[in-house]
Amino acid sequence: MKVCQIEAGDLRRSLSKSGLRIRTGPFICHVQTPFENIADGVQLFYKDFTCESEGFADFHLKLIRPRNLHRVWRPQVSCYLNDDSPFSPLPSDQAFAVFESLLNWSIYTTTYNYLIIHGATVERNGFAAILPAPPGSGKSTLCAALVSRGWRLLTDELTLVSPASGLISDLARPISLKNNSIDVLQDYAPNEVFGPKIYNTIKGTIAHMGPPSDSVSRMHEAAVPGWLIFPKYQAGASTSVAPLPKGQAFMRLSSGLVNYPVLGAQGFEALTQLIDRTDCYNFTYSSLDEAMAWFSELQAPGRQALEQ
Amino acid sequence: MTAVWRTANLLTKSWPDGVVVYNQDSGNTHLLTPIAGQVLKLLADAPADAPTVARRLAGQIDLDSDLELDYNVASLLNHLDSLGLIESVIA
């Protein structure tokens, strides 16, 4: 069953009672919550996802109202992952953003069969462009713009690399846009689906852009790593691109990996394989049009070595 | 006594800009110069003391084996030792 086949009232009731199991890429997430803004977000952004009311789940997420005085004058949301509470209670009007963060946290902290890169990944013609970057570097803005121009979304936040195959799994979920990039993207991609602005979060104002239906329907198609591009938004800068030597690319990527130390030798082998397969670049931009033009002219991976 | 050096429990990967080394015991990763990578490979092939490493390296990269090379190789070995990438075996 797909989420869009469930009527809005039934979806809220299901979430608030036994919960819903939603398949997101290789994971099944069981979520229980009475919050209507989470139900609304699930209905808007997860409409093309498959779901079940019973069965196995990798993660059990609960987002509930804490039993404290805040519920009277400033309602909050408490969140639980498998009965542990990783975050302090937050204002309940941020509940959908908290749900998204909690799902990311679940994957970060419990997944050991993938190498997890903190970065967005998009795909075109079978090759994936990985965009690893710390918060504030314009990664999500660039990812959302590329998706709006026909690139397939694999992930906005957590790139999952299989150590066995070297392929990247699809984890297409809502893209989290922050602050100025919300208005920028709403102007740049007016046909995409955007959720309401969520104010005063620890990251500022957040709004989500929905994953395209095509990306969600291809959730089981892994992609071949093609390019490793470290993006950096710099206001007023013209687009500049510099090939990044592979040794430096390895060190830069490994320093930001979530579970590289845990995977040990397996992680090292997976990472060297990934770097071997990809053309690596530093990419600075401010104009989305210029950035899109450069990405549209990217040559099949492997040409970089021939040109150097 | 002369220190004979051997590599720690390492995985390595060479690229034109250097050699990435993963120490399986410490979990640390390092990016080394191509020459340092070559020295590690020599020691992985056969443990050796500093003068022997210098002589073998000179043969590989077409350098004269002299005191300056001996000094540089000894310094490099001390650096690799401080990173935990090699260890001495007293001969």
Side-chain angles (χ1 to χ4, degrees):
Chain A
M1 185 198 316
K2 287 189 175 179
V3 170
C4 63
Q5 294 171 294
I6 307 174
E7 191 270 326
D10 290 341
L11 180 65
R12 287 181 183 177
R13 273 188 293 280
S14 178
L15 283 168
S16 65
K17 291 180 178 173
S18 60
L20 204 61
R21 287 157 174 81
I22 305 172
R23 174 169 282 284
T24 57
F27 308 112
I28 296 175
C29 160
H30 174 217
V31 54
Q32 281 179 288
T33 182
F35 285 100
E36 292 187 358
N37 48 0
I38 294 181
D40 292 345
V42 168
Q43 190 173 34
L44 182 63
F45 294 124
Y46 288 84
K47 60 186 170 65
D48 299 310
F49 288 64
T50 57
C51 64
E52 302 293 339
S53 56
E54 295 179 340
F56 171 81
D58 295 276
F59 318 118
H60 298 272
L61 312 186
K62 259 187 206 171
L63 297 104
I64 57 176
R65 296 185 176 90
R67 298 184 62 80
N68 58 25
L69 280 177
H70 278 289
R71 73 181 186 272
V72 179
W73 53 276
R74 196 177 174 207
Q76 292 184 318
V77 52
S78 284
C79 59
Y80 294 87
L81 162 62
N82 302 333
D83 295 327
D84 290 327
S85 182
F87 311 138
S88 298
L90 288 162
S92 63
D93 57 359
Q94 300 175 15
F96 184 73
V98 175
F99 163 65
E100 286 292 313
S101 296
L102 183 61
L103 186 46
N104 287 339
W105 177 263
S106 308
I107 297 169
Y108 269 135
T109 55
T110 64
T111 301
Y112 302 110
N113 51 342
Y114 291 95
L115 191 65
I116 303 179
I117 298 169
H118 182 248
T121 298
V122 292
E123 178 263 348
R124 190 190 63 186
N125 298 332
F127 290 111
I130 306 167
L131 312 171
S137 52
K139 153 184 71 75
S140 294
T141 310
L142 187 57
C143 170
L146 286 164
V147 167
S148 77
R149 296 301 187 265
W151 286 70
R152 171 187 163 208
L153 173 68
L154 274 90
T155 178
D156 163 47
E157 186 81 14
L158 304 171
T159 296
L160 305 175
V161 183
S162 163
S165 67
L167 301 179
I168 301 174
S169 289
D170 188 322
L171 191 62
R173 284 176 36 218
I175 298 173
S176 174
L177 299 167
K178 288 118 197 153
N179 302 313
N180 294 339
S181 68
I182 300 169
D183 291 338
V184 168
L185 256 296
Q186 285 180 335
D187 286 343
Y188 194 74
N191 294 328
E192 301 298 325
V193 175
F194 294 92
K197 288 182 178 177
I198 304 169
Y199 297 96
N200 301 318
T201 78
I202 53 173
K203 295 175 181 175
T205 302
I206 288 178
H208 296 88
M209 187 179 111
S213 298
D214 175 63
S215 298
V216 177
S217 67
R218 295 172 64 191
M219 195 176 278
H220 299 290
E221 291 178 32
V224 178
W227 307 277
L228 184 63
I229 300 165
F230 292 89
K232 184 181 175 189
Y233 173 81
Q234 194 173 313
S238 52
T239 302
S240 71
V241 183
L244 186 62
K246 288 181 183 281
Q248 291 179 41
F250 182 102
M251 295 306 288
R252 193 155 165 202
L253 190 58
S254 66
S255 65
L257 287 181
V258 177
N259 60 352
Y260 172 62
V262 178
L263 291 177
Q266 190 185 31
F268 179 83
E269 299 289 359
L271 205 50
T272 55
Q273 189 184 50
L274 178 82
I275 300 286
D276 261 342
R277 297 171 96 152
T278 52
D279 290 348
C280 309
Y281 299 97
N282 279 322
F283 181 77
T284 303
Y285 78 100
S286 64
S287 158
L288 285 177
D289 282 334
E290 285 183 18
M292 296 304 105
W294 183 78
F295 272 81
S296 71
E297 290 171 7
L298 264 176
Q299 296 182 346
R303 295 290 298 271
Q304 186 189 49
L306 299 175
E307 290 167 0
Q308 284 176 346
Chain B
M1 286 188 294
T2 308
V4 172
W5 299 97
R6 67 182 178 195
T7 55
N9 190 15
L10 307 179
L11 296 175
T12 61
K13 172 67 184 176
S14 296
W15 282 296
D17 64 321
V19 179
V20 174
V21 181
Y22 177 73
N23 186 331
Q24 297 193 76
D25 294 329
S26 69
N28 292 329
T29 307
H30 307 270
L31 176 61
L32 305 178
T33 62
I35 288 287
Q38 218 161 339
V39 166
L40 282 180
K41 185 168 186 324
L42 284 171
L43 293 178
D45 291 343
D49 59 17
T52 305
V53 173
R55 198 170 58 250
R56 289 177 183 162
L57 189 65
Q60 284 191 356
I61 58 177
D62 199 20
L63 272 179
D64 289 334
S65 188
D66 56 17
L67 285 177
E68 187 181 355
L69 181 63
D70 286 352
Y71 174 79
N72 287 332
V73 166
S75 298
L76 178 56
L77 290 170
N78 285 331
H79 182 56
L80 295 175
D81 181 35
S82 70
L83 294 175
L85 299 177
I86 61 174
E87 53 201 17
S88 64
V89 187
I90 304 301

